[in-house]
Amino acid sequence: MNVIDLRSDTITHPTDEMRRAMAEAEVGDDVYGEDPSINLLEQRAADLLGKEAGLLTASGTMSNLVAALTYCHRGDEIIMGDQAHMFWNESAGVSALAGAQVRLVPNDEQGRIDPQDLSAAIRPRGNVHMPPTTLVCLENTHNRCSGAALTPQDTRRVADIAHEAGASVHMDGARIFNAAVALEVPPSELVKDVDDISFCLSKALSCPVGSVLCGTDEFIGEARRWRKMIGGGMRQAGVLASAGLVALDTMIDRLADDHANARRLAQGLANIEGINVDPDSIQTNIVIFEIDPSVGSAPEVLAALAAAGVKVTPSRTQTLRMVTHRQVGGAEVEEALSRVAEVVADLRKANAP
């Protein structure tokens, strides 16, 4: 039985073109600023996103942490949505290492933060009883909100409030190019109102490793020091950067295929009794669906799907997540739906009163 892996777009392997570029990469010592492939990737990424400079890091988590370290002093406060990846999936790094307190405001189903909630949550500087709000974090696309994409207007409304209060705005844009393709706008338009943006090369863009943090020259200069401090200074990492250059040239436009496959997946899941999902809510490549109690618990379904050769991940208490990517085509989507339907029918029968 062939395994259909829908756990994440992080499981993608580099393309043949990436492997050739990696083998032939021109390299140098990046800590000295002498790796030409990294320098080229960082500037190309910054130009693509309308920022002044870029910084290659090992992961999206490292980029997000470095941003927080750059903006925040110990005892400051960071505001983010209550479904933020930085809160749920990054080991409390901003608290443990940046010494910043996290304050959560609600995300709606589209991953948005209500501007009124943000205004009420921001705390002013100068009150000795309160931590000052120095950073507001957004996420686009939003992982835990079925890959929903923030529009430029969504981002601007939040950024205007944060900036008026003297806080900076960081965008966790791990899948920002998915958002750009889905909304049919340039990626620079999506991030023009934020102070910095991080995006992942190692997710839907199919690179083996890497993230790029982009912002002003001053911000990136300070971020580079923090990257070094947490062990992120790399040497001949142009081998990795060369794959990123290929990704920026060849992997962005094809994300539309992943989105189409995700919609097909959601439509098929919606037709299976015992699964609840709204296909119209799927904008990009993430499909989160609810398991009806008549089928069983989410862990039971997860295990049964794994036994049937379909790998997925848990999301919330009674939900599972599927992510489409370059290594899952239309045929794999149809086969996955067939196996899910069979598994769910068997579980419903076994758990019937």
Side-chain angles (χ1 to χ4, degrees):
M1 180 188 301
N2 66 309
V3 174
I4 303 170
D5 198 336
L6 292 163
R7 288 174 298 171
S8 178
D9 46 11
T10 60
I11 66 99
T12 50
H13 294 177
T15 64
D16 290 343
E17 186 177 357
M18 288 179 188
R19 292 176 186 270
R20 287 192 297 271
M22 293 169 72
E24 299 168 2
E26 186 179 359
V27 299
D29 191 320
D30 182 51
V31 175
Y32 289 113
E34 296 174 355
D35 190 301
S37 298
I38 292 179
N39 293 342
L40 181 58
L41 172 65
E42 289 174 342
Q43 194 57 56
R44 187 174 296 178
D47 292 343
L48 189 58
L49 292 166
K51 302 302 181 185
E52 292 177 353
L55 181 67
L56 177 65
T57 71
S59 66
T61 295
M62 180 179 281
S63 281
N64 291 337
L65 174 59
V66 165
L69 287 164
T70 303
Y71 288 121
C72 300
H73 297 290
R74 299 187 68 81
D76 285 355
E77 188 165 75
I78 302 173
I79 295 177
M80 61 184 71
D82 63 355
Q83 298 304 313
H85 189 277
M86 289 179 68
F87 176 77
W88 283 93
N89 301 108
E90 298 185 9
S91 296
V94 295
S95 298
L97 301 180
Q101 176 170 287
V102 173
R103 187 171 191 181
L104 301 177
V105 295
N107 284 120
D108 67 13
E109 292 182 353
Q110 292 297 307
R112 295 172 296 205
I113 291 174
D114 189 311
Q116 292 184 345
D117 290 338
L118 177 61
S119 293
I122 289 177
R123 300 205 256 196
R125 300 171 188 269
N127 187 325
V128 297
H129 302 283
M130 299 179 181
T133 301
T134 55
L135 185 63
V136 175
C137 297
L138 294 172
E139 187 174 334
N140 198 13
T141 64
H142 205 295
N143 185 11
R144 288 173 62 87
C145 296
S146 293
L150 298 183
T151 67
Q153 293 75 25
D154 294 331
T155 299
R156 184 182 306 117
R157 282 191 284 269
V158 169
D160 285 349
I161 292 169
H163 289 151
E164 186 176 353
S168 299
V169 181
H170 166 67
M171 173 71 78
D172 174 2
R175 297 180 177 89
I176 194 67
F177 296 110
N178 291 85
V181 168
L183 297 173
E184 298 183 337
V185 298
S188 58
E189 184 70 13
L190 293 175
V191 301
K192 66 180 182 180
D193 293 306
V194 301
D195 297 285
D196 78 279
I197 162 76
S198 65
F199 71 88
C200 285
L201 296 164
S202 57
K203 290 188 169 69
L205 299 185
S206 296
C207 291
V209 178
S211 170
V212 184
L213 181 65
C214 298
T216 64
D217 287 327
E218 181 181 4
F219 168 79
I220 292 299
E222 184 65 11
R224 191 176 298 275
R225 184 177 75 89
W226 284 109
R227 186 191 69 170
K228 174 66 175 176
M229 190 182 297
I230 62 172
M234 296 180 280
R235 302 298 179 174
Q236 290 74 32
V239 173
L240 302 175
S242 61
L245 288 166
V246 173
L248 294 183
D249 287 340
T250 66
M251 290 287 106
I252 294 175
D253 290 344
R254 64 148 309 280
L255 296 176
D257 296 337
D258 297 342
H259 301 171
N261 284 330
R263 286 190 292 273
R264 175 67 193 99
L265 192 59
Q267 290 163 356
L269 290 170
N271 291 326
I272 298 173
E273 188 175 0
I275 289 179
N276 300 312
V277 62
D278 178 9
D280 292 335
S281 70
I282 305 305
Q283 291 180 277
T284 58
N285 67 325
I286 298 176
V287 180
I288 295 176
F289 57 96
E290 185 177 7
I291 306 298
D292 190 271
S294 65
V295 179
S297 68
E300 286 180 299
V301 178
L302 185 75
L305 287 175
V310 179
K311 292 184 177 182
V312 302
T313 53
S315 180
R316 305 184 192 183
T317 303
Q318 197 63 7
T319 62
L320 298 176
R321 187 190 77 165
M322 292 180 171
V323 182
T324 55
H325 49 80
R326 184 177 63 83
Q327 292 174 219
V328 173
E332 286 81 11
V333 167
E334 295 302 326
E335 178 61 24
L337 287 170
S338 175
R339 295 182 193 180
V340 172
E342 184 174 353
V343 163
V344 169
D346 288 346
L347 286 173
R348 282 173 56 82
K349 183 177 180 180
N351 291 324

